[in-house]
Amino acid sequence: MPFSSLCKFALICLTAAAPLSAAAQTAEFLQSYKWTHPDPAFGGFSGFDFEDGSPGQDFVTISDRTTLWTGTIQRDEAGAISDITLRDGPMRLRDSKDAPMTNAVGDSEGLALGPDGRRYISFEGSIARVSFYDPGSSTAHLLPRPREFNGLQNNSSLEALAIDDQGRLYTMPERSGRKNRPFPVYRYDGTDWSVPFSIPRDGDWLPVGADFGPDGRLYVLERDFWGLLGFLTRVRVFDVSGDRINSQSVLFQTRAARHDNLEGIAVWRDTAGAIRLTMISDDNFRFFQQTEIVEYRLPP
């Protein structure tokens, strides 16, 4: 290895190992829980949300290999995760013609639960789109596709999906096309898609999950990949007002390999009144990765 490359590698290692300053951390780390299951379809989780009326407990999650799972998180008296019980799954998702989907077409990534129980899912494969599934059904109902979806990069398109308190869907591509180009945010109001605002791009950080919190703010889960050193994770939060974002802040940012490949996020309020961020990792079905449930908490 050339000396310059060796120095660069050493610098990256030192940066990855160094703790972040306290000023950079608004959210407090609570727990990392390793979730395992013997089913060979278990893994690849990219979207996660809690069901209405059951914050922090009953959840729905999707794998990027078109399976949907539901379960319940058990917690101890302090609110920490003590166990996870699988209620249903894997349910194999099908397309709008009730046919099985190939991996290229069925790359299911983002998940948002509607107040009526519908499961909205974004796909980032060869056909970028958003569909919804009725509770208990595996057949897709395809939402209208704007022309802009056709130009999104394959395997890097509609990774994140969120729903606001008015039932409007928000999705964004994982890659914007250029490092100096912001990420467009597409909004579906039940009839049409629009682009009310964009999220500023910051270095190599890429959005992989999103959720609206009980405070009405938009929380965006982002990652950066440092090769053999692993993934870096952070969450940015945005104040949304109409068709614009007014402010943003970084709630936490990790060093490399602090967590696995976190891709799904659910934001909820616990019994103490604090907002919690619950995230799930995509293990890519690789033996050296894991399915990890990670929680952070904001000060009440």
Side-chain angles (χ1 to χ4, degrees):
M1 179 183 291
F3 180 74
S4 60
S5 299
L6 182 62
C7 290
K8 181 179 180 181
F9 180 75
L11 179 60
I12 290 175
C13 289
L14 288 172
T15 304
L20 295 172
S21 65
Q25 298 288 105
T26 303
E28 171 195 8
F29 170 70
L30 294 178
Q31 183 182 12
S32 173
Y33 182 92
K34 185 177 180 180
W35 184 25
T36 61
H37 193 276
D39 194 304
F42 182 87
F45 296 111
S46 301
F48 185 90
D49 205 355
F50 287 113
E51 296 178 352
D52 277 359
S54 184
Q57 294 180 304
D58 295 336
F59 67 86
V60 179
T61 186
I62 56 167
S63 168
D64 56 17
R65 296 190 182 179
T66 63
T67 59
L68 184 143
W69 312 65
T70 65
T72 300
I73 292 177
Q74 282 84 43
R75 297 178 180 273
D76 62 21
E77 293 182 357
I81 299 171
S82 58
D83 194 14
I84 296 178
T85 302
L86 191 64
R87 300 199 320 268
D88 188 28
M91 175 189 288
R92 288 280 174 189
L93 301 177
R94 304 170 75 87
D95 65 18
S96 58
K97 298 180 180 179
D98 201 33
M101 290 182 281
T102 64
N103 287 340
V105 174
D107 190 354
S108 43
E109 293 288 343
L111 173 69
L113 302 183
D116 56 1
R118 285 179 174 177
R119 289 90 179 258
Y120 294 89
I121 297 175
S122 63
F123 296 82
E124 71 159 5
S126 57
I127 304 176
R129 66 201 187 278
V130 178
S131 297
F132 74 82
Y133 293 79
D134 290 319
S137 173
S138 61
T139 303
H141 298 266
L142 181 64
L143 297 184
R145 291 185 69 249
R147 288 180 297 174
E148 290 82 0
F149 283 8
N150 294 328
L152 298 178
Q153 185 176 335
N154 185 27
N155 198 37
S156 296
S157 59
L158 305 180
E159 181 92 14
L161 186 66
I163 188 168
D164 67 12
D165 59 5
Q166 299 181 50
R168 298 177 297 184
L169 293 171
Y170 294 72
T171 187
M172 64 199 76
E174 182 181 0
R175 296 185 182 274
S176 61
R178 270 185 257 164
K179 286 194 174 183
N180 61 352
R181 178 184 297 166
F183 300 98
V185 176
Y186 301 95
R187 183 173 67 196
Y188 183 67
D189 63 4
T191 303
D192 299 308
W193 288 94
S194 62
V195 182
F197 54 84
S198 297
I199 288 179
R201 184 154 180 169
D202 180 14
D204 293 328
W205 291 100
L206 302 176
V208 291
D211 194 21
F212 278 91
D215 55 1
R217 297 194 295 172
L218 177 61
Y219 293 75
V220 179
L221 172 63
E222 298 176 299
R223 72 175 172 208
D224 189 2
F225 181 50
W226 282 12
L228 294 176
L229 293 176
F231 296 91
L232 292 81
T233 300
R234 78 174 185 182
V235 170
R236 275 195 291 177
V237 63
F238 300 86
D239 290 317
V240 179
S241 177
D243 291 346
R244 65 181 186 273
I245 50 176
N246 295 326
S247 63
Q248 63 168 313
S249 59
V250 177
L251 299 180
F252 75 87
Q253 178 177 320
T254 72
R255 63 184 186 273
R258 177 67 177 86
H259 303 303
D260 210 299
N261 178 28
L262 297 180
E263 288 198 6
I265 181 172
V267 184
W268 54 287
R269 196 181 300 277
D270 64 22
T271 56
I275 287 180
R276 292 202 189 195
L277 318 175
T278 302
M279 292 155 284
I280 193 169
S281 67
D282 175 1
D283 67 353
N284 293 299
F285 292 92
R286 292 175 176 155
F287 73 92
F288 52 86
Q289 292 185 254
Q290 63 182 356
T291 297
E292 182 184 17
I293 307 288
V294 174
E295 289 196 329
Y296 282 74
R297 178 176 58 197
L298 300 182

